[in-house]
């Protein structure tokens, strides 16, 4: 049974819990020094608690660190700005950190629906640490990206007037989110153990594509947009056991999604994601002499409920030493207990990495009823029977956030000082299947397909890290 902790009287949450036998509730006050141990959802009643009190208590920041969603009922439309760097004109928000990456969603909820906004890793870090009471309001206001501002078209000022509708929406959304929050098994930004390495032996950072929005090419979907928020995290390490330099790259961010898609029905699938392509690696087709890809993940998987999406690359340091550390020895291993697993229900992953590149296709491979689906053929959603036909539904990952988590590790000779230009690419493919009646019991299908490509270049100077002198 899941545990919900309520800080303040559980006005809305009491109704939520009453309708969900799988959710137990406990109450605490800020004065109690509330513990989040074992808590799976935190509710904050903003009518009874001021923003200043919440900031001082640090509960939201603690929840984000632990990957715990926060349901925040606000006393007025500006209350959110008091506890974070985010502003919105709404009454109820659900703050959702992705469990093993410091990326997050802000979901604005009302009885009629939900608006979801994604934050990258770096933005989430700023979002969390912008709430320090020492920084004051000015510090919290310094981070308010334009796309994070939200002006609700239907602000929720009367939560109590329809608590049942809101409770059902929250419960449904939490259930759905648990299916698409794919990250389990790791809490480290970079390679496990990298915090213990000498400074001269590592360089870590991000290649930032930034968020992208685009509109599918159809006059029948006003307001529909594809969303891409996938970036790349890298770690360059000089290792003495074995004697190599390693470059580790992972995808990070909040993933790919669709907003404003027409609602599906028996004759129209609405827009959905059918494929996400990710590739990155040296711009040249060759690597320096003695270099190679050491490992990639995930490996090919078809009809598998989950796959290991990272390699478990792990680093260790032994002996004494500081930044110049002549006694320090750095080792590299692969530890299966440190891998990240992603849920691929109704999707498949194809690892098509050539000798120098990390390259994957994440494909929708079944409809929601389990029938096979062919990427590039939205008409494969159509079902037929005796004097009847219709359109099958699409999987959760095709309509919600889908993060193409993967990792590649290259190895280079430890005396290599080359500067390597790398290219990073991601493509989101969106499709739609519509049935149009023709004569009698015949039909035609409209199956537009759309895609967007985003790319960026970055260089890695292998000479910036060196083995122990």
């Amino acid at each position: 049974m899941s545990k919900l902790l309520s800080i303040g009287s559980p006005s809305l949450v009491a109704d939520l819990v009453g309708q969900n036998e799988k959710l137990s509730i406990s109450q605490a006050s800020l004065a109690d020094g509330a513990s989040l141990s074992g808590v799976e959802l935190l509710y904050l009643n903003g009518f009874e608690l001021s923003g200043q009190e919440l900031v001082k208590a640090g509960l939201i920041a603690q929840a984000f660190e632990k990957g715990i969603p926060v349901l925040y009922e606000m006393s007025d439309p500006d209350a959110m700005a008091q506890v974070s760097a985010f502003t919105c004109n709404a009454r109820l928000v659900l703050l959702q950190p992705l469990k093993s990456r410091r990326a997050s969603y802000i979901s604005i909820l009302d009885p009629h629906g939900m608006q979801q906004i994604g934050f990258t890793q770096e933005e989430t870090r700023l979002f969390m640490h912008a709430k320090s009471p020492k920084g004051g309001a000015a510090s919290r206001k310094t981070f308010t990206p334009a796309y994070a501002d939200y002006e609700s078209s239907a602000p929720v000022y009367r939560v109590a007037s329809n608590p049942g509708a809101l409770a059902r929406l929250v419960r449904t959304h939490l259930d759905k989110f648990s299916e698409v929050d794919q990250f389990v098994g790791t809490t480290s930004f970079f390679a496990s153990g990298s915090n213990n390495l000498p400074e001269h032996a590592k360089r870590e950072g991000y290649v930032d594509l930034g968020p992208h929005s685009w509109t599918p090419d159809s006059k029948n979907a006003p307001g529909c947009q594809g969303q891409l928020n996938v970036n790349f995290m890298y770690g360059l390490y000089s290792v003495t056991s074995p004697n190599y330099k390693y470059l580790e790259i992972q995808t990070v961010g909040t993933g790919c999604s669709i907003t404003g898609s027409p609602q599906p029905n028996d004759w129209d699938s609405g827009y959905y994601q059918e494929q996400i392509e990710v590739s990155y690696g040296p711009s040249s087709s060759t690597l320096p002499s003695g270099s190679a890809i050491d490992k990639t993940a995930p490996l090919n998987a078809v009809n598998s409920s989950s796959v290991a999406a990272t390699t478990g690359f792990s680093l260790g340091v032994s002996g004494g030493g500081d930044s110049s550390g002549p006694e320090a020895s750095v080792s590299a291993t692969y530890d299966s207990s440190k891998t990240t697993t992603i849920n691929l229900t109704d999707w498949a992953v194809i690892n098509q990495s050539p000798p120098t590149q990390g390259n994957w296709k994440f494909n929708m491979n079944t409809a929601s009823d389990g029938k096979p689906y062919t990427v590039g053929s939205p008409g494969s959603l159509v079902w037929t029977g005796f004097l009847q036909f219709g359109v099958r539904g699409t999987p959760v990952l095709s309509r919600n956030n889908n993060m193409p988590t993967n990792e590649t590790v290259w190895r280079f000779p430890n005396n290599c000082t080359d500067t390597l230009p790398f290219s990073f690419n991601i493509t989101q493919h969106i499709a739609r299947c519509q049935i149009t009646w023709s004569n009698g019991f015949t039909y035609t299908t409209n199956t537009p397909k759309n895609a967007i490509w985003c790319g960026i270049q970055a260089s890695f100077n292998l000479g910036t890290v060196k083995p122990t002198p």
Side-chain angles (χ1 to χ4, degrees):
M1 180 174 288
S2 300
K3 179 182 177 183
L4 181 148
L5 178 64
S6 174
I7 308 296
S9 301
S11 56
L12 168 65
V13 178
D15 186 74
L16 171 66
V17 174
Q19 300 181 50
N20 190 342
E21 67 280 2
K22 297 181 180 179
L23 197 63
S24 66
I25 186 169
S26 61
Q27 286 185 252
S29 67
L30 292 181
D32 295 333
S35 169
L36 297 183
S37 177
V39 172
E40 295 177 72
L41 175 63
L42 175 65
Y43 167 78
L44 301 174
N45 187 329
F47 290 90
E48 299 179 9
L49 306 165
S50 70
Q52 186 176 9
E53 289 175 310
L54 290 174
V55 170
K56 187 175 181 180
L59 283 177
I60 295 178
Q62 291 179 48
F64 265 60
E65 290 284 359
K66 295 177 180 292
I68 300 170
V70 179
L71 184 62
Y72 180 36
E73 192 172 354
M74 297 181 287
S75 57
D76 63 75
D78 298 321
M80 191 66 191
Q82 299 173 23
V83 300
S84 73
F86 178 78
T87 59
C88 69
N89 182 28
R91 178 64 170 275
L92 187 68
V93 295
L94 184 63
L95 315 179
Q96 297 168 289
L98 292 178
K99 288 182 179 178
S100 292
R101 295 283 187 269
R102 288 188 176 90
S104 60
Y105 290 127
I106 303 295
S107 299
I108 296 93
L109 300 125
D110 66 51
H112 306 289
M114 176 272 296
Q115 170 74 24
Q116 193 175 76
I117 297 167
F119 285 78
T120 64
Q121 275 188 312
E122 178 63 13
E123 289 164 347
T124 303
R125 185 186 68 80
L126 292 170
F127 178 89
M128 290 168 56
H129 294 288
K131 301 188 291 297
S132 168
K134 295 180 181 179
S139 173
R140 295 195 299 273
K141 297 282 188 177
T142 57
F143 172 65
T144 310
Y147 66 87
D149 292 329
Y150 175 76
E151 186 73 18
S152 173
S153 59
V156 187
Y157 293 116
R158 296 179 296 277
V159 174
S161 66
N162 195 355
L166 277 171
R168 287 189 293 274
L169 180 65
V170 173
R171 187 175 65 254
T172 299
H173 187 51
L174 281 173
D175 289 344
K176 181 182 293 184
F177 184 77
S178 68
E179 294 181 42
V180 299
D181 180 4
Q182 303 174 57
F183 304 108
V184 295
T186 180
T187 57
S188 173
F189 275 9
F190 301 103
S192 177
S194 65
N195 288 339
N196 299 320
L197 299 188
E199 288 302 316
H200 68 273
K202 66 176 179 179
R203 291 291 183 273
E204 297 173 324
Y206 299 89
V207 177
D208 190 358
L209 274 174
H212 292 269
S213 298
W214 63 287
T215 302
D217 183 19
S218 172
K219 297 179 181 179
N220 298 320
C224 179
Q225 285 192 321
Q227 307 285 340
L228 287 84
N229 200 338
V230 178
N231 299 302
F232 301 88
M233 175 182 74
Y234 71 85
L236 175 61
Y237 308 101
S238 180
V239 173
T240 54
S241 178
N243 190 28
Y244 286 112
K245 290 178 180 177
Y246 289 91
L247 176 62
E248 174 202 23
I249 296 179
Q250 293 185 33
T251 50
V252 294
T254 53
C256 301
S257 59
I258 298 175
T259 60
S261 176
Q263 289 299 306
N265 54 51
D266 290 342
W267 314 107
D268 185 352
S269 69
Y271 277 97
Y272 58 92
Q273 299 180 108
E274 65 168 1
Q275 185 181 77
I276 301 170
E277 296 181 85
V278 181
S279 67
Y280 50 89
S283 302
S284 170
S285 60
T286 60
L287 291 171
S289 177
S291 307
I293 284 182
D294 205 52
K295 202 165 188 179
T296 64
L299 301 177
N300 292 322
V302 179
N303 298 325
S304 177
S305 61
S306 64
V307 296
T310 59
T311 65
F313 184 66
S314 181
L315 296 163
V317 61
S318 60
D322 50 23
S323 60
S324 60
E327 298 179 15
S329 174
V330 181
S331 62
T333 59
Y334 292 96
D335 185 344
S336 60
S337 70
K338 292 182 170 62
T339 60
T340 292
T341 302
I342 58 173
N343 187 344
L344 283 174
T345 304
D346 302 317
W347 277 62
V349 59
I350 301 172
N351 184 331
Q352 51 188 20
S353 300
T356 62
Q357 301 272 332
N359 191 313
W360 292 265
K361 286 183 178 180
F362 293 79
N363 293 338
M364 173 179 149
N365 69 342
T366 68
S368 59
D369 62 0
K371 296 296 183 181
Y373 176 83
T374 302
V375 170
S377 300
S380 58
L381 288 178
V382 175
W383 62 268
T384 59
F386 180 68
L387 300 180
Q388 58 182 343
F389 43 81
V391 174
R392 294 185 173 90
T394 55
V396 171
L397 287 178
S398 301
R399 295 191 170 278
N400 295 274
N401 185 74
N402 191 338
M403 179 61 196
T405 306
N406 55 74
E407 179 185 40
T408 302
V409 181
W410 290 262
R411 70 172 186 269
F412 307 91
N414 228 333
N415 60 359
C416 184
T417 59
D418 292 19
T419 296
L420 301 179
F422 267 52
S423 59
F424 297 82
N425 307 280
I426 182 166
T427 305
Q428 180 189 36
H429 295 258
I430 288 178
R432 185 182 188 182
C433 180
Q434 297 168 284
I435 281 183
T436 303
W437 285 89
S438 187
N439 296 323
F441 288 100
T442 64
Y443 63 89
T444 60
T445 58
N446 174 29
T447 57
K449 297 181 288 292
N450 301 271
I452 187 172
W453 168 88
C454 296
I456 194 172
Q457 299 285 321
S459 292
F460 298 99
N461 182 352
L462 302 183
T464 59
V465 296
K466 57 185 179 181
T468 301

